[in-house]
Amino acid sequence: TFPSLPLMKLSAYHKSKADIVEFAETGTHYDIVYVSRTFNLGLRTVPKIKLDGIIADKFIYGGTGYEIKVKNGRETYEKCSTDLPEEIEHIYPDYSLYPELTKNTAYGFLTRGCPNNCPFCIVSKKEGFTSSKVANLSEFWHEQKNIKLLDANLLACKHKLDLIKQLEESEAYIDYTQGIDARFITEEIAKALCKTKIKMIHFAFDLMKNEKNIIRGLEIFKNVSGKSDRYLKCYILVNYNTTYEEDLYRIKKVIELGYRPDVRIYQKQNAPQYLKDLARWANNDIIYRSCEFAEYVPRSDGKRIKDLYNKY
């Protein structure tokens, strides 16, 4: 459901060299096969994918899914030779590689890095502790109607207003796919963001230690934008270092502030059923608008929930 940006850039580079590029098929011999992986799902090491029937002189595996290592329960990043070279990193992506997913849509980064160094996130360790400008919008956008912005912390960059201005002048619909850092929101920043066509904007309320500043930022943006929760979401990380009571509090708080909750479960495969139920309840606005979580018991009272769906 999401295109691989590294593969699109590799495809563009090789096509610029008059190479033939395609997704690997069994029985076909290739000079090079690239395999890109984004997540390691908390595994200590990620085995190289066994490519049955794929024949190649060289296989290259890359991406944080292979470069992230887990040691003593902590994720670390080991920079390796499969990072994209500069001439490939800054090439215009080959959107024809995913024609259905990228129709009228551009994907890319204006900044890299993040000062937060959240223990559950690899961005600071991988890209640095400063959010730095790495590209202008024209590097990956050529008049598409939609832009999916992948930046980890755009607002921490000192060039943020210039970059937001570029997004505004594109007149494209912007989807800020990562959680915007609410602690950096001021009236000036909120007004600048609101001048862009917001497809969807995501904030994040992950750590209770940041509660006061996050709530302040969410309140400012809501007041300035006047947008409904149709366009406003707030990521909420659970199964990490918060209690069940704190999880439910954060969900109810963002709803109260006029945002839709988007619960993300850290290492979901190890999460208790309670949190999986909580995510199902919170991530469906039909359900959380119609009943309290205490009334939502999908496994033991399936008929009541089914009746609820039918009613709404």
Side-chain angles (χ1 to χ4, degrees):
T1 59
F2 209 87
S4 171
L5 191 56
L7 293 186
M8 288 195 291
K9 292 182 177 182
L10 286 163
S11 177
Y13 172 77
H14 280 286
K15 286 182 178 179
S16 74
K17 303 295 183 182
D19 294 333
I20 298 172
V21 181
E22 65 183 29
F23 282 108
E25 296 182 357
T26 58
T28 301
H29 177 273
Y30 298 98
D31 298 306
I32 306 174
V33 168
Y34 293 96
V35 184
S36 180
R37 184 184 179 109
T38 304
F39 301 106
N40 73 348
L41 303 179
L43 301 175
R44 190 179 305 277
T45 58
V46 178
K48 299 295 192 294
I49 296 173
K50 186 177 181 181
L51 303 171
D52 291 329
I54 304 296
I55 307 165
D57 296 333
K58 187 176 184 180
F59 289 89
I60 297 179
Y61 296 81
T64 48
Y66 291 114
E67 296 160 14
I68 293 174
K69 308 299 179 185
V70 179
K71 186 176 181 180
N72 298 325
R74 305 281 290 188
E75 292 184 341
T76 61
Y77 170 75
E78 298 181 4
K79 190 175 179 66
C80 68
S81 60
T82 57
D83 285 357
L84 294 179
E86 285 295 298
E87 68 270 24
I88 301 179
E89 178 64 42
H90 294 284
I91 201 169
Y92 184 76
D94 176 15
Y95 290 108
S96 69
L97 201 62
Y98 300 92
E100 295 303 317
L101 295 178
T102 61
K103 184 179 180 181
N104 289 326
T105 303
Y107 295 76
F109 294 85
L110 295 173
T111 65
R112 292 281 195 170
C114 178
N116 293 338
N117 194 27
C118 296
F120 53 82
C121 178
I122 203 65
V123 170
S124 298
K125 301 174 183 65
K126 175 180 181 290
E127 300 178 0
F129 299 96
T130 301
S131 177
S132 303
K133 177 182 175 180
V134 295
N136 287 309
L137 182 59
S138 58
E139 183 172 295
F140 59 87
W141 173 78
H142 287 177
E143 305 296 329
Q144 291 95 329
K145 294 181 180 179
N146 302 289
I147 297 171
K148 287 189 177 290
L149 200 63
L150 310 179
D151 300 47
N153 202 329
L154 174 66
L155 299 191
C157 177
K158 65 181 180 181
H159 301 291
K160 54 184 171 290
L161 288 174
D162 171 63
L163 295 173
I164 294 171
K165 185 68 173 177
Q166 291 184 34
L167 294 170
E168 175 195 347
E169 292 175 348
S170 74
E171 298 186 353
Y173 286 96
I174 314 299
D175 184 351
Y176 299 90
T177 62
Q178 305 305 302
I180 292 288
D181 197 331
R183 294 173 299 167
F184 289 98
I185 290 291
T186 63
E187 285 199 16
E188 180 186 25
I189 297 298
K191 289 177 181 177
L193 287 170
C194 289
K195 289 179 181 178
T196 66
K197 292 183 178 179
I198 298 176
K199 189 87 170 182
M200 176 63 70
I201 191 164
H202 304 77
F203 291 90
F205 189 175
D206 292 329
L207 302 176
M208 287 300 295
K209 69 177 184 179
N210 299 325
E211 174 188 3
K212 182 178 179 180
N213 290 329
I214 288 174
I215 291 175
R216 176 191 55 79
L218 294 177
E219 288 175 337
I220 291 173
F221 189 83
K222 177 65 176 180
N223 291 336
V224 170
S225 71
K227 292 184 177 294
S228 73
D229 61 4
R230 179 181 176 185
Y231 304 98
L232 306 175
K233 274 192 177 183
C234 191
Y235 292 129
I236 297 172
L237 182 71
V238 300
N239 201 39
Y240 188 70
N241 67 351
T242 51
T243 66
Y244 294 161
E245 290 79 11
E246 289 170 337
D247 295 338
L248 190 56
Y249 162 76
R250 287 179 294 153
I251 291 169
K252 289 190 172 184
K253 190 62 180 179
V254 301
I255 293 173
E256 174 189 320
L257 293 172
Y259 294 77
R260 290 168 61 189
D262 190 342
V263 175
R264 299 300 175 98
I265 303 177
Y266 183 74
Q267 295 188 358
K268 187 175 182 179
Q269 67 274 19
N270 301 320
Q273 189 61 52
Y274 171 90
L275 290 180
K276 295 176 183 178
D277 291 344
L278 182 65
R280 289 182 62 191
W281 172 78
N283 294 351
N284 188 315
D285 59 345
I286 294 177
I287 299 178
Y288 75 68
R289 292 181 197 277
S290 57
C291 69
E292 291 293 324
F293 178 60
E295 301 169 346
Y296 177 64
V297 192
R299 259 152 288 281
S300 63
D301 195 2
K303 183 178 184 302
R304 181 167 61 86
I305 297 300
K306 184 177 180 180
D307 291 342
L308 189 66
Y309 272 111
N310 291 336
K311 178 180 179 181
Y312 288 93

